[in-house]
Amino acid sequence: MSLFKTREWWRTHCGENEAFDNHSLLVTPLFGPDIHNVIIVGSHNGYLRIYKPSSKWIEEGKTLTGYKPTDLILESSLEKPIIDLNVGKFVSGSQNLHLAVLSPSNLIVYNVSMIGNAADEEDRCVLNIAYEHNLKRLGATLTVGPFGGVQGRDFLCVQCLDGTLLFYEQETFAFSYNLTNYLLPTPLIYVAKNDAFVTLNSAWVFECYRYQHIAEFDKNKEKQPSELGKSLYPDWKYNLGEAVMDVKIATLSSVELAIVVLGERSLYCLKDDCSLKYTKRFDYAALCFHVYVVEPDGVLMVMTVTETNTLMVYEGTTLRWTAQLPFAPVAVNRGNFQHLEGVIVLLSDEGSLEGCFLGTEPSLFVAPPVSCTKDFNYETAESDVAKYRKMLQKSAASDSSLTNATAESEIGISVWMSPHLEPCPFNEELAVETEKHSMCRVSVELIPYAPLRQVQVSFEVHDPLIVRADYHEIANLCDRHLAQSVIHMGDKAVPASLETVVTVTYENSFGAIRVLQRKAQVPVRLVAKLCPPESGSSFSITVKSDEPIVSLSQLFPEFIGEEATLGRNNNAIGLQYLYTGTVVSIASGTSSNRYRLQSEDSLAVGPVGRQLIARLNGYYSRKQCNCVTSQVQLQILNAHIDVHFASRQEVRRIKEALDLLATQLRNIEKKMVYNFKERSTRSLKSLTFLLDDTFDMMFTLLDDLKDAQLKQFRSEKNLERAISSLLLLLQTNVSDDKYALVESAIGFTPQLHSDIDWEEIADAAVSSALRSKMRKSDNEMLRTVGELEPIKDVTKLKKRIAHLVERLTKDTDDSVGSSASGRLEDVEEVA
């Protein structure tokens, strides 16, 4: 962001809904060197416009007249896209300047005549065609100059899309030449001093070809047809190593000139003998640039425009001035007009045309000097950071409760989940034979106690549950508002949880952002139905209660009346998932206060277990349940970690193979283009066969990649469900702070990243959690986690998770300090 802004001198807009690029702007003395410059603009829609700005100051320099309709002296539709413009002496026997317009299919030279009107001092132009050349190939750029050192005439060179150069000696076609090592059109300039053309090949190497050598090479091809396969060797080369956006040439003196090259991140200044004069590395991306020479000293100035709409003016490698532009231009130029010289002309891709100059109205704010401390005591800083961390930890709970209390006084939020199911019109293919595909409605009532702005309501559920209209936005909330959505199943799978999280974000009248969350449970009947219990399942969880056994009909009243199996005295029921057929059996003890959940699918027990524990705690209005932990759940989690990691490795292997085939494909295409240009047909058949074979292999790998990514997605969801089951066991056996620690370490959703995924993040988080539990004192600083790198094995990760679970479930009444000193070395070895 610049301190200064450019000052507007003259501004207009070229048409409506038209497109422009960096070849659409030309500022030149079209009507003679003694007359001021005019602005020529050609659009891709085929409109040619010529402006003669007449803006001037009135009232002693306080006000500008700006744009006048009479400033547009010519507007004509050429009915073909204008892709380049240039001015020169293009007509035989005439020393007047003519306008050359390049379209994709032809090159037209116009005679532009000025007709003045002395009565109202208005000018207008008349456009007449001098001659026209029809192009055999699609044109791309136009270069003009006195090719061959001719005097008083200018010739034309059209660069085509396929790399062919078409040379025209005014009204006559001269010859053509095919550039080698060419893929896409690049900037092509003519250096009159050396009578040479400078361009960039596809390898980002600057090449110089003399016009006489090109002409002689064309004559030799006509005399010796056997020379058709050969190409002309350039006079000199210079390896830039980056793509070029534009090239300009500037004459510094009678014996010295400069070739200025704008790269994607660099600016190069070359001499005409291929030597580098200087280079400037940018810390920004440039859009366009323009060069000019300050007379009589011959100082080269370069103006570049950045992606942040900033104009940078350089003298050599030194930044002399910077100013903020009103828009992002695609072309920049400089001209001398009737009432002001040195005007900067800007053109945007949408047609905004402005003439401006560098202003001197800086902001009055002056940044204070930064005070730097010479001596820095790292030991004192370390102790201060540890002290502040403890203060933050103590105040976090009070601050969050205060913030929530403030938010509760500004808005009331009520979430209601309808227990009644409705037929679902979405994903009807999920309907099973005995059950219809259903959905339930969720409503959020917002009651503001003060005017609120930018209120956003979002719903979040666990896969495969889907929320329709999961995002609502209210610009201004002053009255009661009801946001509704529907929830249904999106796939035949078991959800990790039936919990729905509603997040409300808003901005109050003081500009503070508040975030509130509410949770609700999806009805069990949406995903499961009542069925007879099963016995002899392979996986089970035991839930112990401090209170007497509660009848299952009281815990699951929504199923009363559906099946005869759920009566008042039943101590066992079965819940069958509608879309997978998995059965989870719940049995209550007769002589002990225990509940047993069992199923053949270990991942299916988690959602039912969470429902059972939540309903028991709600029945007694307090937390009074805990699960019996075992190593089985850790073994299940380890198995799913292995499957997920293996699926990631397979996806990575296929992508690496695709990268190699893509490189091979590009090399084959380059070789085919080269052989086609050289008219060598011997190896085209073998290259065609190799190209087809490469395509077949790529398509096969793409099919394999699709299957592998689907397996990875399913393994991610199974891993999420396994983590949820483990967290369910820990939540009932450890304190809230310990549960928050392990949940933050492993309880996040895996993401589809190429290199860094759940394993790498969990490994770093679990290691940090282990170190935090085994610190000798609070003053010991935690080792910071460096840059995450892809891991090659998950054995250590599984050991660390098991050790963390062991540490958290250990009796908190034991002396942590005495055990920590004995186990510190083991933990560091595992971590």
Side-chain angles (χ1 to χ4, degrees):
M1 189 68 181
S2 174
L3 185 64
F4 299 97
K5 294 182 179 180
T6 56
R7 304 287 300 278
E8 178 182 334
W9 178 71
W10 180 87
R11 184 170 186 174
T12 185
H13 194 85
C14 303
E16 295 182 0
N17 300 325
E18 298 184 35
F20 304 85
D21 62 7
N22 61 331
H23 296 283
S24 302
L25 177 65
L26 183 63
V27 180
T28 180
L30 179 61
F31 304 106
D34 298 333
I35 305 177
H36 294 91
N37 295 350
V38 295
I39 302 175
I40 306 175
V41 179
S43 71
H44 294 172
N45 300 69
Y47 288 94
L48 177 68
R49 298 177 178 89
I50 301 179
Y51 297 92
K52 186 180 179 182
S54 60
S55 179
K56 61 181 179 180
W57 278 274
I58 57 177
E59 296 182 2
E60 298 181 356
K62 296 181 179 180
T63 308
L64 280 167
T65 57
Y67 172 80
K68 297 179 181 179
T70 56
D71 293 345
L72 179 61
I73 60 177
L74 175 67
E75 183 176 20
S76 177
S77 175
L78 306 185
E79 299 180 354
K80 292 184 179 180
I82 300 175
I83 58 178
D84 208 347
L85 300 165
N86 227 314
V87 169
K89 301 176 182 179
F90 302 137
V91 177
S92 300
S94 175
Q95 293 298 309
N96 296 330
L97 295 178
H98 291 75
L99 175 64
V101 178
L102 177 66
S103 66
S105 59
N106 55 11
L107 172 63
I108 306 177
V109 175
Y110 290 96
N111 179 22
V112 185
S113 302
M114 175 77 75
I115 300 177
N117 190 339
D120 51 5
E121 297 183 356
E122 295 180 0
D123 296 326
R124 61 186 181 90
C125 289
V126 177
L127 195 66
N128 297 313
I129 297 179
Y131 59 86
E132 178 181 357
H133 292 293
N134 293 321
L135 305 179
K136 300 178 181 180
R137 295 175 172 85
L138 293 178
T141 62
L142 175 63
T143 305
V144 302
F147 306 160
V150 297
Q151 299 293 330
R153 294 190 299 168
D154 288 322
F155 296 159
L156 304 99
C157 174
V158 177
Q159 180 183 200
C160 301
L161 287 178
D162 60 352
T164 302
L165 301 182
L166 305 177
F167 292 91
Y168 297 92
E169 295 181 355
Q170 295 184 341
E171 296 90 345
T172 306
F173 173 74
F175 58 90
S176 64
Y177 175 73
N178 294 325
L179 293 173
T180 58
N181 198 5
Y182 179 93
L183 288 179
L184 295 173
T186 56
L188 176 70
I189 62 170
Y190 174 72
V191 183
K193 177 186 176 183
N194 300 336
D195 190 25
F197 291 89
V198 179
T199 186
L200 188 79
N201 63 20
S202 60
W204 294 344
V205 176
F206 238 28
E207 297 179 344
C208 177
Y209 299 90
R210 293 189 181 274
Y211 178 77
Q212 292 295 339
H213 295 171
I214 298 176
E216 292 174 1
F217 181 79
D218 180 73
K219 292 181 181 179
N220 293 334
K221 285 196 304 181
E222 295 178 355
K223 294 179 180 180
Q224 301 178 3
S226 60
E227 300 291 327
L228 289 176
K230 297 183 180 180
S231 59
L232 182 64
Y233 193 79
D235 292 271
W236 54 259
K237 295 183 178 181
Y238 187 85
N239 190 356
L240 288 179
E242 69 173 303
V244 171
M245 301 179 62
D246 202 357
V247 181
K248 303 288 185 182
I249 187 170
T251 303
L252 304 181
S253 63
S254 59
V255 295
E256 183 182 5
L257 58 83
I259 303 174
V260 187
V261 183
L262 178 65
E264 291 181 340
R265 288 288 181 179
S266 303
L267 181 71
Y268 303 90
C269 183
L270 304 174
K271 298 181 180 179
D272 57 347
D273 58 353
C274 184
S275 60
L276 180 66
K277 189 173 184 180
Y278 66 83
T279 181
K280 173 70 175 178
R281 182 70 176 176
F282 295 146
D283 56 355
Y284 54 84
L287 300 179
C288 53
F289 88 127
H290 178 72
V291 300
Y292 63 96
V293 179
V294 178
E295 300 293 348
D297 301 329
V299 179
L300 178 64
M301 307 296 292
V302 180
M303 296 188 300
T304 63
V305 179
T306 72
E307 58 186 354
T308 58
N309 303 347
T310 305
L311 179 68
M312 317 287 282
V313 182
Y314 293 94
E315 179 185 346
T317 59
T318 304
L319 180 64
R320 292 301 185 188
W321 195 264
T322 175
Q324 195 69 24
L325 299 177
F327 53 83
V330 295
V332 59
N333 212 314
R334 184 174 178 269
N336 299 323
F337 299 102
Q338 182 177 0
H339 300 288
L340 185 63
E341 296 184 354
V343 177
I344 301 172
V345 183
L346 309 171
L347 176 66
S348 72
D349 57 349
E350 296 179 350
S352 295
L353 181 64
E354 178 175 320
C356 58
F357 58 95
L358 301 180
T360 55
E361 293 183 355
S363 173
L364 297 179
F365 172 75
V366 178
V370 180
S371 59
C372 300
T373 304
K374 296 182 179 180
D375 298 330
F376 187 79
N377 193 332
Y378 290 93
E379 296 180 357
T380 304
E382 184 177 348
S383 60
D384 291 341
V385 170
K387 180 179 67 174
Y388 295 144
R389 180 181 286 110
K390 291 181 63 177
M391 294 172 61
L392 287 174
Q393 291 175 353
K394 291 180 180 179
S395 61
S398 59
D399 290 343
S400 61
S401 60
L402 180 61
T403 303
N404 292 335
T406 305
E408 296 288 350
S409 64
E410 295 174 341
I411 187 174
I413 304 174
S414 301
V415 181
W416 180 74
M417 186 76 67
S418 174
H420 305 290
L421 303 183
E422 304 175 13
C424 181
F426 314 106
N427 299 88
E428 296 181 354
E429 67 276 2
L430 295 179
V432 295
E433 296 179 358
T434 58
E435 297 290 338
K436 296 182 179 180
H437 186 42
S438 303
M439 66 180 184
C440 66
R441 294 190 177 274
V442 55
S443 303
V444 179
E445 184 183 26
L446 305 177
I447 303 177
Y449 304 125
L452 305 176
R453 298 188 299 269
Q454 300 298 326
V455 182
Q456 302 174 7
V457 182
S458 61
F459 299 85
E460 183 180 358
V461 294
H462 292 268
D463 188 80
L465 292 172
I466 295 178
V467 182
R468 295 285 173 174
D470 60 344
Y471 177 79
H472 300 263
E473 183 174 0
I474 307 101
N476 295 285
L477 182 63
C478 300
D479 298 326
R480 174 183 174 274
H481 182 82
L482 188 65
Q484 291 184 337
S485 296
V486 295
I487 301 175
H488 64 89
M489 291 288 289
D491 195 8
K492 295 181 178 181
V494 177
S497 175
L498 301 180
E499 186 178 68
T500 302
V501 180
V502 179
T503 304
V504 179
T505 306
Y506 65 89
E507 179 182 350
N508 60 16
S509 57
F510 299 101
I513 305 297
R514 305 292 188 192
V515 180
L516 292 176
Q517 283 189 343
R518 295 291 186 271
K519 297 181 180 180
Q521 296 292 328
V522 175
V524 181
R525 294 172 56 244
L526 184 66
V527 298
K529 66 178 181 178
L530 197 65
C531 69
E534 294 181 350
S535 59
S537 300
S538 59
F539 180 78
S540 63
I541 293 179
T542 302
V543 180
K544 296 190 299 182
S545 175
D546 299 336
E547 300 292 341
I549 291 295
V550 182
S551 173
L552 296 178
S553 61
Q554 293 179 298
L555 294 178
F556 297 93
E558 62 266 34
F559 294 107
I560 294 179
E562 292 189 3
E563 295 285 348
T565 56
L566 184 59
R568 293 183 178 274
N569 298 323
N570 286 120
N571 61 348
I573 62 171
L575 295 178
Q576 184 181 21
Y577 287 96
L578 297 176
Y579 304 98
T580 62
T582 307
V583 177
V584 179
S585 301
I586 306 176
S588 58
T590 55
S591 59
S592 60
N593 299 338
R594 295 192 176 193
Y595 302 85
R596 183 179 179 86
L597 294 89
Q598 58 185 18
S599 176
E600 292 294 337
D601 186 3
S602 60
L603 302 182
V605 180
V608 178
R610 289 186 179 274
Q611 287 290 320
L612 177 63
I613 294 175
R615 298 187 182 204
L616 283 173
N617 294 334
Y619 185 85
Y620 289 108
S621 301
R622 67 183 182 88
K623 182 179 179 180
Q624 46 85 41
C625 297
N626 64 314
C627 298
V628 179
T629 59
S630 64
Q631 294 294 325
V632 178
Q633 191 59 42
L634 277 176
Q635 296 173 3
I636 295 173
L637 176 61
N638 293 338
H640 287 288
I641 291 176
D642 292 334
V643 173
H644 179 255
F645 187 71
S647 65
R648 286 183 54 204
Q649 296 294 97
E650 178 65 14
V651 171
R652 184 182 303 172
R653 182 192 67 79
I654 296 176
K655 287 184 177 181
E656 290 176 354
L658 280 173
D659 290 339
L660 293 177
L661 286 178
T663 303
Q664 176 179 327
L665 181 64
R666 288 192 294 268
N667 294 333
I668 295 173
E669 291 174 342
K670 290 180 181 179
K671 187 64 176 178
M672 292 184 69
V673 171
Y674 177 79
N675 290 340
F676 181 78
K677 289 183 177 180
E678 298 296 328
R679 296 177 175 84
S680 175
T681 60
R682 294 182 178 179
S683 59
L684 282 178
K685 292 184 179 180
S686 59
L687 288 175
T688 303
F689 175 78
L690 185 59
L691 182 67
D692 295 338
D693 188 56
T694 304
F695 274 123
D696 293 339
M697 289 189 292
M698 291 186 68
F699 288 142
T700 303
L701 283 179
L702 287 173
D703 293 337
D704 296 341
L705 179 62
K706 182 179 179 180
D707 297 337
Q709 288 178 338
L710 180 60
K711 292 180 181 178
Q712 181 183 358
F713 176 77
R714 292 175 178 173
S715 65
E716 286 177 353
K717 299 307 174 184
N718 291 334
L719 177 61
E720 182 182 358
R721 297 180 186 104
I723 294 171
S724 178
S725 300
L726 177 62
L727 293 177
L728 172 64
L729 299 180
L730 294 176
Q731 188 176 14
T732 59
N733 290 277
V734 299
S735 59
D736 293 340
D737 57 341
K738 292 182 179 180
Y739 175 76
L741 178 65
V742 67
E743 184 184 28
S744 62
I746 64 173
F748 55 91
T749 304
Q751 302 293 330
L752 281 173
H753 293 299
S754 57
D755 295 326
I756 305 302
D757 205 333
W758 183 88
E759 286 81 3
E760 288 78 10
I761 302 175
D763 184 58
V766 172
S767 300
S768 178
L770 282 172
R771 297 188 192 104
S772 66
K773 295 300 295 180
M774 299 304 299
R775 284 183 298 169
K776 295 181 181 181
S777 63
D778 291 335
N779 292 330
E780 183 180 347
M781 297 294 295
L782 290 177
R783 286 181 291 177
T784 58
V785 179
E787 183 178 357
L788 296 180
E789 297 181 355
I791 62 177
K792 300 180 180 180
D793 189 20
V794 293
T795 304
K796 290 185 178 181
L797 171 61
K798 294 186 290 186
K799 289 182 179 179
R800 289 167 182 166
I801 293 176
H803 193 73
L804 179 62
V805 172
E806 177 187 354
R807 292 296 306 171
L808 293 177
T809 55
K810 192 175 182 180
D811 188 6
T812 56
D813 293 336
D814 295 341
S815 176
V816 180
S818 60
S819 62
S821 60
R823 295 296 298 259
L824 180 58
E825 297 180 357
D826 297 338
V827 173
E828 292 296 334
E829 182 179 356
V830 174

